């Protein structure tokens, strides 16, 4: 039977300028096998993620499929059961120390917009009920103000009052995503995880949704964790960017620093894939060799060393620590030891 190993993490103190402080967050899923379903190992979906998020700003989280972006977002919101290790401080409170009732009371402040707007909406409920269900549950407004409140939220998300009696299948993809945004916004949150909210939409609709999220952030003073594959979208909407690889945050900093001066070899390779809308510019694409290792059996040392062109001897043996190379610009790489 595989043994679960937990590393001791130095706790961080609450800093009021940050709405969210994530310190050494880990989420490992057990692998069960054999006749009795014994635990034979763990999938290290999130493996030591650390970052801080300032109030009213947007942090973009990027990386290849399967690197742990979505699991990070859901673990922060306590949607994946218990964490394996680490700290998640939301406005100074450790999210995983809260009781069931305390978590229920905190839920309206922490919301999520899911990637697929169709599967995340109940097909048996009209739109007005979908948006208003949690408003009733958490007593956001008095009963006599309920209908006007739902109309106001729908209007701010580009939906009409007569849409309340329609069902999700009667809407386009962009309209369904507006419904998902309205559902999250109706609870008056201060922090929203946007889990690839535009990846399933046409490019023209993507621009509308991004502009809507920007407008709502300004109007309601929201803080976003924006998970996406589209680096151009992340550059447009984000104040800070985190780059994930195999469950780890390999680079983190201000958007301008990350895009103008990427430090980690993986970030350089990722950004070299961004298409440039100019046929006269020759793109210098960095093609990574090999495939992503399994998160159930990550390589020793630096997790990226099996695909890195700048790999050194110590990369294969020693796990690199997070270092601040420039003010606010962090990287996890032995090149900067």
């Amino acid at each position: 039977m595989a043994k679960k190993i937990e590393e001791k993490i130095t706790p961080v103190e609450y800093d009021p300028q940050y709405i969210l402080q994530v310190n050494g967050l880990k989420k490992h899923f057990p692998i069960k096998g054999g006749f009795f379903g014994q635990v034979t190992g763990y999938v290290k979906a999130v493996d030591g993620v650390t970052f801080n998020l300032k109030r009213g700003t947007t942090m973009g989280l990027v990386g290849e499929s399967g690197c742990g972006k979505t699991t990070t977002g859901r673990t922060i919101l306590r949607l994946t059961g218990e964490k394996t290790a680490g700290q998640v401080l939301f406005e100074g409170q450790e999210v995983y120390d809260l009781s069931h009732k305390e978590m229920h009371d905190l839920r309206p402040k922490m919301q999520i917009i899911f990637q697929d707007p169709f599967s995340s909406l109940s097909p048996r409920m009209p739109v007005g009920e979908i948006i208003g269900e949690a408003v009733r549950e958490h007593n956001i407004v008095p009963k006599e103000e309920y209908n006007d409140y739902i109309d106001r939220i729908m209007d701010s998300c580009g939906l009409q009052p007569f849409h309340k009696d329609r069902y999700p299948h009667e809407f386009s993809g962009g309209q369904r995503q507006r419904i998902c945004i309205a559902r999250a916004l109706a609870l008056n949150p201060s922090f929203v995880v946007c889990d690839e909210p535009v990846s399933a939409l046409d490019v023209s609709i993507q621009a509308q949704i991004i502009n809507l999220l920007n407008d709502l952030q300004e109007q309601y003073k929201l803080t976003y964790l924006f998970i996406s594959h589209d680096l151009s979208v992340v550059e447009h909407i984000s104040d800070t960017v985190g780059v994930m690889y195999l469950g780890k945050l390999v680079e983190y900093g201000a958007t301008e620093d990350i895009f103008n001066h990427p430090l980690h070899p993986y970030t350089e390779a990722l950004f070299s894939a961004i298409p440039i809308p100019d046929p006269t510019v020759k793109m210098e694409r960095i093609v990574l060799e090999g495939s992503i290792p399994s998160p159930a059996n990550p390589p020793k040392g630096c997790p990226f060393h099996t695909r890195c062109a700048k790999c050194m001897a110590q990369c294969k043996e020693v796990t690199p620590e997070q270092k601040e190379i420039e003010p606010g610009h962090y990287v996890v790489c032995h090149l900067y030891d």
Side-chain angles (χ1 to χ4, degrees), residues 161-210:
F162 62 83
H163 287 149
K164 280 198 290 191
D165 299 323
R166 294 185 180 179
Y167 289 82
H169 72 270
E170 299 178 70
F171 293 88
S172 68
Q175 286 175 313
R176 283 198 286 262
Q177 197 57 285
R178 288 176 186 272
I179 295 165
C180 293
I181 293 170
R183 178 176 61 183
L185 190 67
L187 293 173
N188 194 23
S190 51
F191 171 61
V192 182
V193 174
C194 305
D195 185 10
E196 303 199 34
V198 296
S199 64
L201 308 177
D202 295 335
V203 175
S204 59
I205 306 299
Q206 282 185 14
Q208 293 176 22
I209 297 298
I210 292 298

Side-chain angles (χ1 to χ4, degrees), residues 29-132:
F29 294 95
I31 303 168
K32 296 184 179 179
F35 185 75
F36 296 104
Q38 288 184 316
V39 175
T40 56
Y42 289 90
V43 174
K44 297 175 180 177
V46 181
D47 199 26
V49 168
T50 299
F51 65 86
N52 296 325
L53 185 53
K54 286 187 177 179
R55 296 173 190 278
T57 65
T58 300
M59 175 180 164
L61 199 57
V62 301
E64 291 169 295
S65 292
C67 70
K69 303 186 298 294
T70 294
T71 308
T72 300
R74 293 188 178 206
T75 306
I76 288 168
L77 296 181
R78 202 172 159 179
L79 296 178
T80 56
E82 289 300 307
K83 66 183 180 184
T84 302
Q87 272 182 296
V88 181
L89 294 182
F90 178 74
E91 295 187 330
Q93 287 182 300
E94 169 54 72
V95 173
Y96 283 86
D97 285 347
L98 300 177
S99 66
H100 180 76
K101 183 179 184 311
E102 288 170 331
M103 196 66 217
H104 176 272
D105 294 340
L106 183 67
R107 279 277 175 229
K109 294 296 176 190
M110 307 168 72
Q111 289 296 301
I112 184 169
I113 300 166
F114 293 101
Q115 180 175 358
D116 185 355
F118 193 61
S119 63
S120 64
L121 298 173
S122 171
R124 294 187 175 88
M125 292 170 70
V127 165
E129 195 58 35
I130 288 171
I131 296 170

